[in-house]
Amino acid sequence: MPHELQKAYDPTAIEDRWAAYWVNEHLFHTDSSPIPASHAFTMLLPPPNVTGRLHMGHMLNQTEMDILTRWHRMCGDLALWIPGTDHAGIATQLMVERQLAGEGSSRQQLGREAFIERVWQWKQHYGGAILDQMKRLGASVDWSREYFTMDDRLSAAVREAFVRLYEQGLIYRGKYIVNWDPVQQTAVSDLEVTHEERKGKLYHVRYPLADGSGSIVIATTRPETMLGDVAVAVNPADDRYTAFHGKKLRLPLSAVNDGPNHGKDREIPIVTDDWANPEFGTGAVKVTPAHDPNDFAIGERHNLPQLSIMDAAARIDLPGSPYHGLDRYVARKRILEDLEAQGLLVDTKEHTMAIGLSQRSGAVVEPRLSTQWFIKIQPLADKAIEAVEEGHIKFTPAQYAKTYFEWMRNIHDWCISRQLWWGHRIPAWHCAACHKVTVARETPSTCAHCGDSGITQETDVLDTWFSSGLLPFTVFDWPQRTPALNAFYPTSLLVTGFDILFFWVARMIMLGCHFMLDMPMPDGSPRTLKDAVPFREVYIHALVRDADRQKMSKTKGNVIDPIEIVQKYGTDAVRFTLAAMASPGTDIAFSEARTEGYRAFANKIWNAARFIFMNMERAKEAGIGIHRSSFASEPELTNRSPIEALWIVSRLNRCAHDVNLALEKYRFDEAANFVYQFFWGEFCDWYLEIVKLRLDFGETSNQDAASAALTTLLYVFKSSLQLLAPFMPFISEEIWQALYDGTPPKKSIARSDYPRYVARELSENVQYISAEEAMQNLQRAITGIRTHRKELGVEEKTLVAVKIACGGNPGGVIRTNLEVIQKLSKVSEVEIVSFDDQKPGGRYADLAWKTFGPVDIFIVYEKPIDLPAERERLAKKLEQYEKMLISADRQLQNPAFLAKAPEKIVAGLKKQASEAATLRQETLEAIEKLEQLA
RNA sequence: GGUCGCUUAGCUCAGUUGGUUAGAGCGCCUGCUUCACACGCAGGAGGUCGUAGGUUCGAGUCCUACAGCGACCACCA
């Protein structure tokens, strides 16, 4: 028999215990030994940064994944959810550098090796806090497979992938313009740059012709870069400048003291290029190949030199120049002053432009010429596009496929090198002798080209996303063909936020399609694109915002800490909130009021359990033993079974069906609402209230009936807990275990079977359908009496006598459930009368009466009616019924409607019209009667 | 500049392929210590579905324009 539950639901008292139990008992450990691949459900947790703390977005992501994993597991699938963390190059390095700064040290002081050692120590101490938080939140991941992207195993796979791409000619090294973060002093990829509209200035600067015969005015937003100008470009079709073609300009302020020009300004050519837009500025554009990607391209076309004038920290780097050593913005100010002084600053205009900011540091990105490693992305993108076009990967919501294509079709080569210390060091060695590069899986001792031993490893590390892009196969020990890889690749689903669609999702698709195409299938046959993809489906979820729809950010101070909120309301309530609010397409405005409501729901479940356990105890005391096998499966009910039993089993099956369907579509909100509505609105509000009457274990009572009622109750309750388990794992586990007094049939409810029901059976089961109809009529009678009582002003405590007129089907259920009606609507006695009795001259013509569908309710009550209130109410009702009647009639009198609308709609409308007419008539009579009383 | 999305009750949001009286939670009003639960029970009020047109027998749902809000992408100095 069940052990007793505490009187009040207290999540903190139960959650830690079960969280620890699930981990310690290895309940979610998944063996890759022989299983049919079709039964595997595999997901990768988007690896949080080691530096990370859990935020609401993680919790939403994890809640959704956990619901799906628990659901699949309970449905009998081999459910595998793999956790891990990302080394997060820049973020982590920054964290440790900050720590060092606090100690008055720096990474430069430590040196590379000692610094990396220090980061590892940091990781050991502080890293992975997020995974501990996950454990507390009960995420049902397989902890035995936890990884870190810099583990030896994964690092080896990263090297392998790099070397293969290099050998395939898909990785190249070269000097190009990249996005440079002058604060962190590293290159960043296009994706790591965010654009922000800012008000700036557009400066018009005069460059005199070298021969003194005139001048050209150029427009620029970054005047400091003029020090690196090597030409001025005009559009060949621009008539204003035809006379200047081929001439030279003297570049102001370019003189360098000790340079080859001996203090004279440089001369630069005027070139013609289509890039120059006659509509913009003055139509003449300065060309600075080392500091602007467009100018770089012009430079290439015209074979111009690339003159770099800034250092890694974006200071002017031009020895001998008066601007040498100045920060770019200081230099800008000084240069503008000097131009002004020389009368060369012609105009300054307000100009709004989108400037690039480094995502991580917030620094304004400086386009910089530097030697970097790139992936030739087009061949990879082609396959990635095909994979989605061919439907090998499905996006939910579907609109994201569009966004994906948009990006993939306009992709640029991927800069994968970073000038950091923390990360996967690029496996390339430079030869001091022949200056060639040796790329190798293992550290070579000599140069592969000239055999010289004077080689040193590349100092750059790889972009973090390079290694995480490989995860769908490297977590299964690629490049080896392991049983796990055979069993679990491609993974089933990826659940993630929109923010990393390009960073991670797109990269995984490209790299997965590329590398896994070469990996034979488990049976040895060649793999096609369909099975090379890293996952078959992608579900993109919303962003969690605060209650005012503001993005949560530290600077705004509106960040909701999931742990805090969990401590306040319990994990189950927070999970349920997120699930219930997670409708596709819209962001979640997280509101605590909602969570409060779901904590109340948990409390409701808790108390339902207490009530049920109490009754099990009572049965036991009466000598009625309930064996667990008796409620293991659906009770056998007949037409003679109590109406509420037939009804609740039918509703349970309907709910199970709906929930499963919703989860298949990733409609967490629908699924959660179905369970909520069923448990609270049907199981508790109706079934429990009715079943109370049946649970009479007294000696004079029908003990068989009581015992049957208890069995059905237990079955439905147990099934409800199972339905609920993926959403609220803690409370469902606690109560389920208690139900079996600590010796449950499985180690966890998470390992028991999920209720399922086939739609066809539901629609064909006559017994259920008629039970639902009958129950609906019973409910109508009960709520009818309640409403009527209230309207008549009958006091809550007062028992009244009622007469009910009802015919045909409704009559049956009402006649056999008089006791239920009496109890649930506070009635002293019920008498079934004829419809004619309320009519003028009828036996009860003077009683207040009311119609509820096919049921008429008369209340026998002496208290005088509140005339004005009743008059107002009836007038309102009358208006409503007349509206209904008019709208129905309008359509029914339209021949086009009758001709074209489907029969079902017409019939429904006719029924509605006749009902409205009856109601209207009755209301009129009631008003008449009221006036007589008055 | 390009692309996509949103606008439904006081608040937060549902509303499947157009179809009978547009739903939920919270909040609000009224009444209840009914022996599981006041984190509760019962009853109730509240919506010209952003605006203006159009298609249709029928529009919250489809089309067009407009207004407001938001997101993403983008190498025009």
Side-chain angles (χ1 to χ4, degrees):
Chain A
M1 278 301 108
H3 74 242
E4 213 169 299
L5 297 179
Q6 295 290 310
K7 277 205 181 93
Y9 162 67
D10 177 11
T12 52
I14 61 171
E15 292 186 354
D16 285 326
R17 184 157 35 88
W18 292 117
Y21 175 79
W22 295 329
V23 174
N24 296 338
E25 297 291 316
H26 308 291
L27 273 168
F28 307 121
H29 177 74
T30 305
D31 205 346
S32 54
S33 51
I35 38 102
S38 61
H39 281 191
F41 176 77
T42 323
M43 280 191 306
L44 243 58
L45 172 79
N49 292 355
V50 272
T51 57
R53 301 282 304 173
L54 196 85
H55 62 241
M56 231 38 198
H58 291 126
M59 188 156 176
L60 170 68
N61 182 253
Q62 291 169 17
T63 296
E64 292 182 343
M65 282 192 282
D66 197 40
I67 288 171
L68 290 172
T69 308
R70 285 174 182 269
W71 173 57
H72 274 281
R73 189 181 290 118
M74 289 179 77
C75 288
D77 293 336
L78 186 80
L80 170 60
W81 181 17
I82 303 176
T85 41
D86 192 284
H87 66 278
I90 296 181
T92 313
Q93 175 160 330
L94 223 63
M95 197 78 91
V96 178
E97 280 191 274
R98 236 175 261 152
Q99 204 181 43
L100 284 174
E103 298 164 13
S105 178
S106 71
R107 85 181 143 107
Q108 285 79 7
Q109 266 179 42
L110 253 78
R112 184 164 188 146
E113 255 178 61
F115 178 74
I116 290 173
E117 185 49 39
R118 177 71 187 250
V119 181
W120 277 107
Q121 282 171 14
W122 183 92
K123 192 241 165 198
Q124 230 55 36
H125 274 99
Y126 307 104
I130 228 171
L131 295 187
D132 292 335
Q133 292 173 315
M134 268 183 90
K135 282 180 186 149
R136 167 59 186 80
L137 296 180
S140 67
V141 299
D142 184 346
W143 292 108
S144 72
R145 292 177 192 269
E146 184 186 334
Y147 65 85
F148 176 56
T149 49
M150 295 243 299
D151 286 345
D152 289 344
R153 178 172 67 99
L154 290 180
S155 298
V158 166
R159 278 198 300 278
E160 176 67 29
F162 184 94
V163 174
R164 281 197 199 182
L165 285 170
Y166 185 79
E167 288 170 352
Q168 291 159 350
L170 293 171
I171 282 183
Y172 61 92
R173 182 171 184 257
K175 214 174 177 189
Y176 296 94
I177 291 272
V178 294
N179 304 299
W180 185 264
D181 179 334
V183 170
Q184 295 175 145
Q185 309 204 0
T186 176
V188 292
S189 73
D190 293 348
L191 278 177
E192 287 159 283
V193 178
T194 56
H195 295 271
E196 202 175 278
E197 287 260 299
R198 284 212 187 157
K199 278 197 170 46
K201 299 238 166 34
L202 184 65
Y203 304 98
H204 289 210
V205 180
R206 185 181 306 281
Y207 288 7
L209 280 170
D211 59 15
S213 65
S215 65
I216 278 186
V217 176
I218 56 95
T220 180
T221 54
R222 295 188 298 153
E224 68 280 10
T225 62
M226 67 181 285
L227 299 175
D229 285 1
V230 295
V232 164
V234 295
N235 195 293
D238 192 339
D239 298 338
R240 293 173 293 178
Y241 296 111
T242 316
F244 292 84
H245 293 181
K247 296 205 168 172
K248 294 215 160 187
L249 293 163
R250 182 176 61 78
L251 181 64
L253 314 183
S254 64
V256 175
N257 284 338
D258 49 357
N261 287 336
H262 304 291
K264 282 198 289 189
D265 285 337
R266 280 193 290 121
E267 290 188 2
I268 56 173
I270 296 167
V271 299
T272 57
D273 196 286
D274 285 335
W275 165 252
N277 178 0
E279 309 291 319
F280 190 92
T282 61
V285 57
K286 63 199 248 344
V287 181
T288 323
H291 295 280
D292 184 279
N294 299 309
D295 295 6
F296 181 81
I298 299 176
E300 296 257 281
R301 285 198 286 276
H302 298 273
N303 216 359
L304 297 166
Q306 297 161 346
L307 183 58
S308 197
I309 54 129
M310 277 188 217
D311 65 13
R315 287 177 304 235
I316 302 298
D317 182 20
L318 207 57
S321 161
Y323 308 107
H324 180 69
L326 296 180
D327 173 80
R328 53 185 165 168
Y329 295 118
V330 177
R332 176 179 300 179
K333 191 164 168 271
R334 192 77 62 79
I335 282 172
L336 286 169
E337 285 165 6
D338 292 346
L339 287 170
E340 178 93 75
Q342 295 185 22
L344 296 173
L345 184 59
V346 179
D347 202 1
T348 303
K349 290 186 165 153
E350 294 294 326
H351 184 65
T352 46
M353 54 191 169
I355 66 153
L357 303 173
S358 172
Q359 199 182 46
R360 210 44 65 203
S361 69
V364 175
V365 163
E366 191 66 39
R368 184 169 196 247
L369 189 65
S370 64
T371 304
Q372 304 287 347
W373 295 80
F374 297 87
I375 291 185
K376 207 168 161 185
I377 211 76
Q378 201 58 54
L380 303 191
D382 288 343
K383 268 189 228 136
I385 291 168
E386 190 188 336
V388 177
E389 274 178 346
E390 299 293 315
H392 303 319
I393 299 175
K394 192 183 135 211
F395 280 86
T396 305
Q399 79 227 26
Y400 285 112
K402 256 188 172 171
T403 315
Y404 169 85
F405 285 132
E406 188 79 13
W407 186 77
M408 210 49 111
R409 286 179 180 138
N410 296 298
I411 199 164
H412 299 289
D413 282 357
W414 176 14
C415 174
I416 50 169
S417 47
R418 296 289 181 275
Q419 288 66 55
L420 304 172
W421 285 355
W422 176 244
H424 298 103
R425 195 161 169 180
I426 290 178
W429 285 261
H430 302 287
C431 176
C434 72
H435 300 294
K436 285 187 177 164
V437 170
T438 303
V439 169
R441 289 167 178 83
E442 303 297 335
T443 307
S445 52
T446 57
C447 171
H449 305 282
C450 68
D452 195 273
S453 60
I455 55 169
T456 50
Q457 189 174 0
E458 169 65 60
T459 53
D460 290 357
V461 300
L462 288 165
D463 180 1
T464 294
W465 298 102
F466 183 85
S467 54
S468 44
L470 305 167
L471 285 171
F473 44 97
T474 53
V475 290
F476 300 120
D477 297 329
W478 180 90
Q480 295 169 64
R481 198 168 136 212
T482 58
L485 191 70
N486 282 337
F488 296 119
Y489 194 94
T491 63
S492 313
L493 173 69
L494 183 79
V495 179
T496 188
F498 172 79
D499 50 334
I500 51 172
L501 179 59
F502 306 134
F503 276 113
W504 194 45
V505 182
R507 264 82 176 261
M508 279 192 286
I509 296 176
M510 290 191 285
L511 294 168
C513 291
H514 181 73
F515 284 111
M516 286 302 289
L517 213 45
D518 300 333
M519 174 67 70
M521 295 293 283
D523 66 4
S525 63
R527 192 177 287 260
T528 61
L529 196 55
K530 172 176 166 284
D531 296 302
V533 296
F535 28 75
R536 303 211 178 278
E537 293 193 39
V538 180
Y539 174 74
I540 307 254
H541 64 237
L543 218 66
V544 184
R545 294 165 176 275
D546 75 0
D548 301 320
R549 316 211 105 267
Q550 297 292 308
K551 228 178 207 171
M552 290 187 195
S553 74
K554 279 182 201 155
T555 47
K556 280 187 209 150
N558 63 345
V559 176
I560 302 172
D561 179 359
I563 298 298
E564 262 174 42
I565 210 111
V566 155
Q567 277 164 352
K568 200 164 163 193
Y569 299 102
T571 309
D572 284 335
V574 181
R575 284 173 60 116
F576 210 87
T577 309
L578 291 169
M581 295 185 84
S583 49
T586 22
D587 288 341
I588 294 177
F590 187 87
S591 82
E592 241 178 274
R594 245 353 235 277
T595 312
E596 234 167 273
Y598 291 123
R599 182 188 53 184
F601 179 49
N603 185 56
K604 188 81 181 171
I605 298 163
W606 188 262
N607 279 293
R610 288 182 54 223
F611 168 77
I612 289 161
F613 292 175
M614 189 184 86
N615 277 288
M616 288 174 85
E617 206 55 42
R618 283 174 55 211
K620 191 178 151 197
E621 279 163 15
I624 300 168
I626 302 288
H627 192 262
R628 60 179 55 178
S629 63
S630 65
F631 60 87
S633 53
E634 187 171 316
E636 282 176 31
L637 300 172
T638 70
N639 288 335
R640 286 193 307 276
S641 300
I643 182 64
E644 79 281 359
L646 285 161
W647 173 76
I648 198 65
V649 170
S650 176
R651 297 307 296 167
L652 169 72
N653 287 330
R654 164 68 62 191
C655 180
H657 168 261
D658 290 343
V659 169
N660 281 293
L661 210 68
L663 287 177
E664 274 165 31
K665 295 183 296 180
Y666 310 116
R667 288 303 302 262
F668 302 96
D669 57 330
E670 285 185 2
N673 285 326
F674 283 135
V675 182
Y676 180 95
Q677 180 48 38
F678 168 74
F679 193 84
W680 199 322
E682 296 184 327
F683 181 76
C684 289
D685 287 350
W686 287 101
Y687 177 69
L688 281 188
E689 291 307 318
I690 297 176
V691 89
K692 278 176 183 172
L693 300 173
R694 322 285 190 204
L695 295 174
D696 180 358
F697 301 103
E699 281 176 20
T700 56
S701 62
N702 181 345
Q703 295 210 340
D704 284 349
S707 149
L710 186 56
T711 307
T712 302
L713 168 59
L714 287 171
Y715 166 74
V716 176
F717 183 59
K718 182 215 69 167
S719 303
S720 306
L721 289 175
Q722 287 170 319
L723 272 179
L724 198 67
F727 303 89
M728 294 186 150
F730 291 100
I731 192 172
S732 56
E733 181 84 288
E734 171 77 13
I735 297 173
W736 188 80
Q737 299 267 356
L739 184 62
Y740 295 102
D741 198 18
T743 55
K746 297 274 170 65
K747 279 180 112 174
S748 164
I749 191 172
R751 286 271 169 209
S752 71
D753 294 334
Y754 204 68
R756 295 198 78 94
Y757 210 81
V758 184
R760 191 173 41 76
E761 290 180 39
L762 213 54
S763 57
E764 284 174 5
N765 191 319
V766 182
Q767 201 175 39
Y768 287 165
I769 291 168
S770 67
E772 297 218 358
E773 262 175 40
M775 183 68 185
Q776 200 187 0
N777 284 317
L778 186 60
Q779 287 173 313
R780 266 191 197 144
I782 293 166
T783 50
I785 295 169
R786 286 170 177 168
T787 310
H788 202 19
R789 281 176 59 111
K790 191 88 171 182
E791 283 168 354
L792 289 174
V794 180
E795 280 183 17
E796 200 78 12
K797 285 172 271 193
T798 311
L799 295 180
V800 287
V802 291
K803 323 279 180 201
I804 297 178
C806 51
N809 282 336
V813 69
I814 285 167
R815 250 174 264 272
T816 49
N817 286 281
L818 292 179
E819 201 195 344
V820 171
I821 294 174
Q822 284 177 356
K823 188 82 201 303
L824 268 61
S825 46
K826 298 243 169 54
V827 165
S828 56
E829 56 176 293
V830 187
E831 187 192 341
I832 307 291
V833 298
S834 142
F835 279 112
D836 291 330
D837 287 335
Q838 44 80 6
K839 298 219 167 113
R843 281 194 295 164
Y844 302 116
D846 57 332
L847 291 184
W849 61 280
K850 203 168 155 62
T851 300
F852 297 90
V855 184
D856 280 10
I857 311 280
F858 306 70
I859 302 241
V860 185
Y861 187 59
E862 303 297 331
K863 197 179 173 187
I865 294 168
D866 179 348
L867 283 173
E870 184 65 1
R871 200 176 276 141
E872 194 188 335
R873 185 184 72 82
L874 287 172
K876 220 167 179 180
K877 288 283 172 199
L878 186 66
E879 193 188 350
Q880 185 193 336
Y881 297 142
E882 281 179 341
K883 254 191 194 160
M884 274 164 66
L885 201 58
I886 289 165
S887 96
D889 278 348
R890 195 181 46 225
Q891 289 195 73
L892 287 170
Q893 279 161 18
N894 183 342
F897 171 76
L898 294 174
K900 290 186 183 177
E903 221 172 289
K904 201 178 88 188
I905 300 297
V906 177
L909 206 62
K910 278 183 177 158
K911 194 176 156 206
Q912 182 203 325
S914 81
E915 270 177 29
T918 313
L919 287 168
R920 179 177 163 274
Q921 186 54 37
E922 286 170 355
T923 311
L924 281 172
E925 286 171 24
I927 290 171
E928 198 179 314
K929 202 184 300 181
L930 194 72
E931 295 312 325
Q932 283 169 12
L933 282 172

